[in-house]
Amino acid sequence: MSYEDLEVWRRSARLSATLYQQMKDLRDFGFRDQLTRSGLSIPSNIAEGYERDSDKEIARFLTYAKGSAGELRTQILIGIEAGYVEKPDGQQWADEALQLGRMLGALIQRHKRE
């Protein structure tokens, strides 16, 4: 199975692209950079893990991706409070980041058992 076949990778890649599109005009470059980097880190770490040779390595990189999902959710929630992110969009993105984290947690457990 390729990482591109994983729903969690497809959804995280879509979320990352959305963040880049929606935040492109934000003038706080530091915040924008941090938010888009954490979003990009999720599918990137999934891909890197699946390109490794062992379940242990896959699980390790999936753990990094899960951490990035938590980081992203936090940044989105702060962005809402700071007025950088519209609440309806931000809540949808934060909910998606939470779901991605849960999906990654289940996938991590599967690779730890194999």
Side-chain angles (χ1 to χ4, degrees), residues 82-101:
Y84 289 162
V85 177
E86 296 290 327
K87 191 169 186 173
D89 288 338
Q91 196 57 59
Q92 181 181 359
W93 300 339
D95 291 345
E96 180 69 353
L98 181 64
Q99 289 300 313
L100 292 170

Side-chain angles (χ1 to χ4, degrees), residues 15-75:
L15 177 59
S16 180
T18 297
L19 294 171
Y20 272 97
Q21 292 165 349
Q22 296 298 314
M23 303 306 292
K24 71 180 186 294
D25 295 327
L26 180 63
R27 300 200 64 70
D28 184 332
F29 302 115
F31 183 82
R32 182 180 71 194
D33 186 56
Q34 190 66 35
L35 183 77
T36 54
R37 280 178 185 255
S38 60
L40 182 62
S41 180
I42 301 167
S44 298
N45 276 300
I46 294 168
E48 187 168 355
Y50 272 83
E51 291 296 323
R52 301 290 174 139
D53 291 331
S54 71
D55 282 309
K56 181 179 179 182
E57 285 286 291
I58 293 171
R60 182 166 65 102
F61 279 88
L62 292 176
T63 300
Y64 298 154
K66 188 175 186 310
S68 293
E71 180 182 3
L72 175 61
R73 181 173 164 76
T74 296
Q75 292 163 359

